[in-house]
Amino acid sequence: MIEVAFVGNPNVGKTALINAIAGSDLQVGNWPGVTVEKKEVTFTYEDETLHLVDLPGTYTLSPYTLEEKVTRSNLCAGGFDAIVNVVDTTDLRRNLYLTLELIDLQKPMVIALNMFDEFSKRGYRLDVEKLQEIFGIPCIPTIASKGIGTKTLLGRLYEVYKECQLPHLIPYQEHIEKEIAFLVHKMEGLECQIKRFLAIKLLENDSYAIQRMQELDPAIVDLAHKARERLQRHLRMDVKEFIVQDRYQKIDAILAQVLHKPLVDRVLLTDKIDTIALHRWFGIPLFFIVMFLMFKTTFDGSTPFVDWVGGFFDGFVAPHLRAAMADLPSWLVSLTVDGVVSGVGLVLSFLPLLAFLYFFMALLEESGYMARVSFLLDRVAGILGIKGNAFIALIVGFGCNVPAVYATRTLSSFRERLITALMISFMSCSARLPVYALFTALFFTRHQALIIFSLYLLGILVAFIVGFIANKALPTSQAKPFFMELPTYHMPSARAIWMLMWPKLKDFIVRAGTVIVMASVILWGIINLPPSATPQTSYLAQISKKITPIFKPVGFGEHWEPVAALIPGTLAKEVIIGSLGTIYGVEAAHKPMAKSSILEDLTKELHTLWVATERSAHNLLAIQITSLETEVAPSRIQQRIRQQFTPLSALSYLVFILLYIPCVSTMAAIKNEFGWRWMLFETALLPILAYTVAFVVYHFAALLL
Amino acid sequence: MSRKKLSDLHPGEKGIIKEIGDIGELKNRLMELGALANTPIEVVRVAPFGDPMELEIGNTHIAIRKSEAQKIVVERFKDKR
């Protein structure tokens, strides 16, 4: 099997290129031990099996981020037989820097001159023949987005490997070369394939090279140190700086021979967009508009589908399962249908929402706007010890906390990810809204919008306080200064977006799904046991009756029913309303059994799916946020709530609901990303925090009202 | 010709990099992206809240915070673009 590494700068269309080659066979996973995505594909070409691996984008082989480290370590581990260096032809000078470093690895190599169409469009011309002559390896113009050049690329890659065609060395300045030769000579007996590369990196004082050599032969580290001192004295400047300068001189010399610039560099579209997108006054409002549109579309587009999935499980899967299991003991039927299957239903009902949200996230990321958001908001984030890009995750949290937790993956350090994740659960997600709507409609009819808005603000406030404390409390790792490229905007392809979306969706179904189904079964247990319990005598009722007095100081400790509803509410906040109904006994838990045939009902479900699609499309065109219109709850629940709450205690109850736990799905995501310890920490912290804040709000509001 | 901190340049102003001070690993990163001594650099714009700043080196646009830009000494071009 031929192991091939795809290496290139970030945002050069490297993933798109490997996509175009791999087609639908591309596999997405994680690099071992880190949450950096690994994309790979295996297929047969001619008589050989090719294994292509997409290494994370990097500017140089002196890494700055976690992702870049993955690339460097993998390249230097020596497991690759050949390299495909993908370069952005529109910025050759910078991209060739990495190329020169790769050449020092002395592996069979091919250069993909990507974005060649854009390059030509800007009026540049390149002498590809001459470039090939200089590097001694094939250089192939490609247009990844259209799949152009991929066949040639593969063919040349195969030849290069078969003939073991190595790139020509581009010699450094003579004194540097002398020291390299000296070090390489000293390494002669060592078991190491990248001697030249390590020698130059040792001269650069690169910590990875030094560490690696320390393991191989510590004496050489000393020799390298002396060599560096010799050079320093002779060159009268920092050796690293000299080497970087030398590389750029070589690049400029090469480009002088092969690149023909147009007389006038046209103002790029990106510059024009950024004069507005990053404008002093318009930048921030535009950002809010983009966010608003993203949420509007996500909610309005997905709500009909979310409802449909819910209906599909309640109205089709559950009744038919009950019919099919009619002869089995009723507890088993109930466990299967109300425990396991309803858990599966819950997982799947998240999918439409997540799919829409991930679509927009991918769109923003691929297009290049995401980097702009970081740029706009970095100042605010700096106060909390995080960087601008963390805000993306926080904003996603208003829609749903689950994808928000996964969105922290793009942040550069574990510390930043953790601070952000701790803040996310206070972003009031869409599932909390129906509960606010029900209670505020009853007790704050006149100021409904104001109260709901205040709850959102309270969540943000608590998030900032928690973030601020976390920043002070967590040990500071030597944070690297903020650095970010503002890449050229470009139109993302549908495939690229799908490739970003799909692994995340799959991950949610598999990993978060198992935890949700487990939680669903446990909850089923406490709601339905002991055997033949009614909603008033179940374990849930018994537990709630015991803990209810605890809530007296925060105003809703007089009746056990609202407290009981909080427990199923951990599954998803909107479940609170349904649970209140069941516990009050106003909604006799109806458990229909299917009477008609499966086929007949399936046709009906397919019809309603079509209706849902139509509604979704209709919603997207409407101007107002349709899905935020309040649902009308059965008036008998309203009566009971009125009896058991005062405006003050209702407010306190809502504050508690806002803060006490996001939901089991979010906790599952936190466990996934940060491990059991942080998940348990959150689970313990949040109720205490919610209680404290509810207490303060209850007593403070009492003074006002 | 006057020496200035990069952070003191206004949006649209260009300068020649004279010295990059102690900004940890960012120094190597900037050099490897082409921000070497005696190369031109332009402050494209500053973010709405006053930080970070967008720089143009060669064809590359990058953002760094002012706290680091302060430690980069440049020689300002007399004429604005």
Side-chain angles (χ1 to χ4, degrees):
Chain A
M1 187 150 72
I2 314 177
E3 299 281 340
V4 183
F6 273 60
V7 194
N9 280 200
N11 311 307
V12 296
K14 189 163 52 67
T15 311
L17 189 66
I18 209 170
N19 254 339
I21 295 171
S24 54
D25 300 330
L26 196 72
Q27 290 184 329
V28 184
N30 273 347
W31 290 95
V34 284
T35 41
V36 174
E37 257 172 27
K38 177 183 187 177
K39 303 194 185 79
E40 55 197 328
V41 65
T42 314
F43 58 92
T44 315
Y45 184 84
E46 305 274 321
D47 53 338
E48 290 276 2
T49 311
L50 284 172
H51 181 219
L52 312 184
V53 181
D54 182 15
L55 291 172
T58 187
Y59 297 102
T60 76
L61 293 181
S62 306
Y64 200 72
T65 64
L66 181 69
E67 302 193 343
E68 293 182 347
K69 256 187 203 139
V70 169
T71 301
R72 194 262 324 267
S73 313
N74 276 281
L75 274 176
C76 294
F80 291 108
D81 306 310
I83 295 171
V84 174
N85 176 209
V86 186
V87 303
D88 173 359
T89 320
T90 62
D91 195 358
L92 271 179
R93 190 172 187 266
R94 191 192 78 199
N95 279 258
L96 287 184
Y97 187 90
L98 180 64
T99 307
L100 290 196
E101 288 198 305
L102 292 172
I103 285 175
D104 283 336
L105 287 170
Q106 286 293 294
K107 292 266 166 144
M109 191 161 124
V110 178
I111 295 175
L113 299 163
N114 203 24
M115 306 196 186
F116 207 81
D117 49 344
E118 181 66 28
F119 171 82
S120 311
K121 218 165 66 188
R122 285 192 208 164
Y124 286 92
R125 275 185 304 118
L126 184 70
D127 188 343
V128 180
E129 285 291 319
K130 182 91 191 162
L131 191 68
Q132 298 196 116
E133 208 176 286
I134 293 169
F135 286 138
I137 47 171
C139 302
I140 297 114
T142 56
I143 306 165
S145 52
K146 293 176 187 137
I148 293 173
T150 54
K151 277 214 181 97
T152 323
L153 185 74
L154 266 184
R156 290 297 164 81
L157 173 68
Y158 180 81
E159 285 168 27
V160 159
Y161 169 78
K162 281 285 169 186
E163 289 155 25
C164 199
Q165 188 182 357
L166 302 180
H168 293 162
L169 286 178
I170 310 286
Y172 293 93
Q173 189 261 5
E174 50 178 328
H175 293 93
I176 303 279
E177 275 301 329
K178 220 181 264 171
E179 298 293 359
I180 293 174
F182 167 68
L183 288 174
V184 169
H185 174 70
K186 289 287 172 191
M187 284 185 231
E188 212 139 66
L190 295 182
E191 190 65 39
C192 170
Q193 294 182 2
I194 47 168
K195 295 194 178 91
R196 181 183 167 84
F197 178 80
L198 280 184
I200 184 87
K201 282 288 158 191
L202 283 172
L203 293 178
E204 284 180 33
N205 203 11
D206 179 82
S207 55
Y208 171 84
I210 292 173
Q211 195 196 330
R212 180 118 180 232
M213 195 46 73
Q214 200 80 47
E215 289 160 14
L216 288 168
D217 185 355
I220 293 177
V221 178
D222 287 336
L223 288 175
H225 183 71
K226 289 197 185 102
R228 200 162 51 239
E229 279 182 345
R230 274 198 298 276
L231 282 171
Q232 183 118 17
R233 270 198 307 274
H234 184 80
L235 304 167
R236 297 211 188 123
M237 69 187 288
D238 181 52
V239 181
K240 167 92 186 178
E241 195 171 341
F242 185 84
I243 294 175
V244 175
Q245 228 169 54
D246 194 38
R247 283 199 187 109
Y248 270 109
Q249 275 166 13
K250 298 289 171 337
I251 292 169
D252 287 337
I254 294 170
L255 289 181
Q257 297 178 61
V258 297
L259 185 68
H260 305 278
K261 286 186 187 174
L263 283 175
V264 193
D265 245 339
R266 281 189 290 150
V267 181
L268 295 172
L269 183 62
T270 295
D271 292 342
K272 285 185 198 153
I273 298 175
D274 273 345
T275 39
I276 301 167
L278 300 180
H279 188 270
R280 268 179 86 176
W281 305 112
F282 305 142
I284 300 281
L286 189 77
F287 160 71
F288 281 111
I289 292 171
V290 170
M291 286 300 122
F292 172 79
L293 286 177
M294 175 168 123
F295 279 111
K296 181 193 148 24
T297 323
T298 299
F299 289 132
D300 288 352
S302 69
T303 307
F305 293 111
V306 171
D307 292 345
W308 180 80
V309 175
F312 182 73
F313 271 84
D314 288 346
F316 176 73
V317 178
H320 279 285
L321 254 180
R322 283 201 195 89
M325 297 173 77
D327 301 332
L328 299 172
S330 67
W331 69 265
L332 186 63
V333 178
S334 175
L335 172 63
T336 316
V337 178
D338 304 323
V340 180
V341 174
S342 82
V344 174
L346 188 68
V347 174
L348 294 183
S349 70
F350 267 106
L351 282 188
L353 181 83
L354 290 182
F356 269 87
L357 213 51
Y358 286 149
F359 171 80
F360 284 106
M361 299 282 294
L363 188 68
L364 293 182
E365 205 176 310
E366 277 289 294
S367 64
Y369 187 70
M370 210 70 118
R372 269 74 187 178
V373 175
S374 305
F375 181 75
L376 288 172
L377 297 178
D378 179 65
R379 177 64 189 273
V380 187
I383 304 166
L384 303 171
I386 51 181
K387 288 170 189 146
N389 42 359
F391 272 93
I392 313 267
L394 293 177
I395 291 158
V396 171
F398 284 117
C400 179
N401 287 182
V402 179
V405 172
Y406 289 123
T408 62
R409 280 185 188 179
T410 52
L411 308 185
S412 58
S413 73
F414 183 81
R415 188 175 189 274
E416 286 166 46
R417 295 185 57 205
L418 188 61
I419 293 175
T420 315
L422 288 173
M423 293 171 72
I424 282 170
S425 58
F426 307 112
M427 302 291 123
S428 188
C429 69
S430 59
R432 297 170 218 197
L433 196 60
V435 191
Y436 302 160
L438 175 66
F439 277 77
T440 50
L442 281 174
F443 296 103
F444 306 98
T445 326
R446 279 207 199 153
H447 306 292
Q448 196 180 3
L450 180 71
I451 296 286
I452 293 181
F453 186 63
S454 310
L455 283 166
Y456 274 84
L457 283 184
L458 180 72
I460 296 171
L461 182 72
V462 173
F464 270 79
I465 293 172
V466 168
F468 191 77
I469 295 172
N471 182 31
K472 295 277 174 239
L474 288 170
T476 41
S477 46
Q478 358 110 297
K480 294 194 175 113
F482 173 73
F483 158 81
M484 195 184 61
E485 192 197 350
L486 294 167
T488 316
Y489 287 105
H490 76 274
M491 200 62 182
S493 71
R495 254 198 84 77
I497 288 184
W498 175 247
M499 289 314 300
L500 276 173
M501 278 172 71
W502 170 238
K504 292 178 186 148
L505 280 176
K506 202 167 68 179
D507 212 45
F508 172 79
I509 301 172
V510 178
R511 293 211 257 176
T514 31
V515 179
I516 295 171
V517 172
M518 244 165 61
S520 166
V521 171
I522 295 170
L523 272 174
W524 173 87
I526 59 167
I527 293 171
N528 289 284
L529 294 177
S532 74
T534 66
Q536 285 75 26
T537 60
S538 65
Y539 285 137
L540 176 65
Q542 292 174 26
I543 300 167
S544 317
K545 280 172 187 162
K546 285 214 180 76
I547 59 171
T548 299
I550 302 173
F551 293 96
K552 273 194 179 145
V554 292
F556 53 93
E558 302 295 333
H559 307 277
W560 68 270
E561 294 94 334
V563 176
L566 293 175
I567 297 175
T570 57
L571 216 51
K573 293 278 166 81
E574 74 262 34
V575 172
I576 290 175
I577 298 176
S579 306
L580 271 176
T582 316
I583 297 165
Y584 283 140
V586 289
E587 264 177 46
H590 61 290
K591 294 183 175 175
M593 206 187 287
K595 292 187 185 82
S596 37
S597 78
I598 290 195
L599 206 64
E600 201 176 305
D601 280 1
L602 194 63
T603 342
K604 262 188 222 155
E605 289 298 329
L606 286 177
H607 176 71
T608 47
L609 175 62
W610 172 245
V611 175
T613 315
E614 276 181 341
R615 264 192 42 217
S616 167
H618 177 79
N619 280 353
L620 292 181
L621 298 173
I623 296 162
Q624 78 274 33
I625 306 186
T626 20
S627 54
L628 292 195
E629 283 162 12
T630 47
E631 267 174 58
V632 186
S635 58
R636 284 179 61 199
I637 297 190
Q638 293 187 350
Q639 279 174 12
R640 295 297 299 272
I641 291 175
R642 240 189 246 280
Q643 286 162 12
Q644 295 195 339
F645 282 94
T646 64
L648 214 54
S649 65
L651 185 65
S652 167
Y653 190 60
L654 291 182
V655 170
F656 193 82
I657 287 172
L658 163 69
L659 303 172
Y660 80 107
I661 189 176
C663 64
V664 288
S665 314
T666 307
M667 295 328 258
I670 290 178
K671 190 236 125 198
N672 242 345
E673 298 295 297
F674 302 96
W676 281 106
R677 274 182 47 219
W678 284 107
M679 195 273 271
L680 292 175
F681 172 78
E682 274 272 90
T683 317
L685 170 82
L686 291 176
I688 298 170
L689 193 82
Y691 190 88
T692 317
V693 178
F695 182 84
V696 172
V697 169
Y698 182 62
H699 289 276
F700 185 70
L703 296 176
L704 294 179
L705 291 175
Chain B
M1 292 285 217
S2 57
R3 290 214 167 187
K4 275 195 155 194
K5 291 175 189 165
L6 178 62
S7 53
D8 289 341
L9 291 195
H10 295 289
E13 281 186 328
K14 286 181 191 171
I16 300 269
I17 300 172
K18 282 295 155 192
E19 196 194 325
I20 300 180
D22 179 22
I23 49 173
E25 288 178 63
L26 185 59
K27 181 175 175 175
N28 284 345
R29 177 40 53 99
L30 291 181
M31 287 195 314
E32 293 186 314
L33 285 173
L36 293 155
N38 298 318
T39 51
I41 190 165
E42 177 181 344
V43 174
V44 180
R45 60 172 64 82
V46 175
F49 293 125
D51 206 11
M53 53 204 313
E54 180 182 343
L55 308 171
E56 185 176 347
I57 309 163
N59 277 340
T60 307
H61 288 242
I62 60 157
I64 66 171
R65 285 182 181 164
K66 278 192 170 165
S67 49
E68 274 78 46
Q70 242 177 19
K71 294 176 183 158
I72 299 173
V73 181
V74 295
E75 204 155 85
R76 187 163 61 101
F77 277 176
K78 273 280 167 58
D79 57 323
K80 291 181 184 177
R81 63 168 169 177

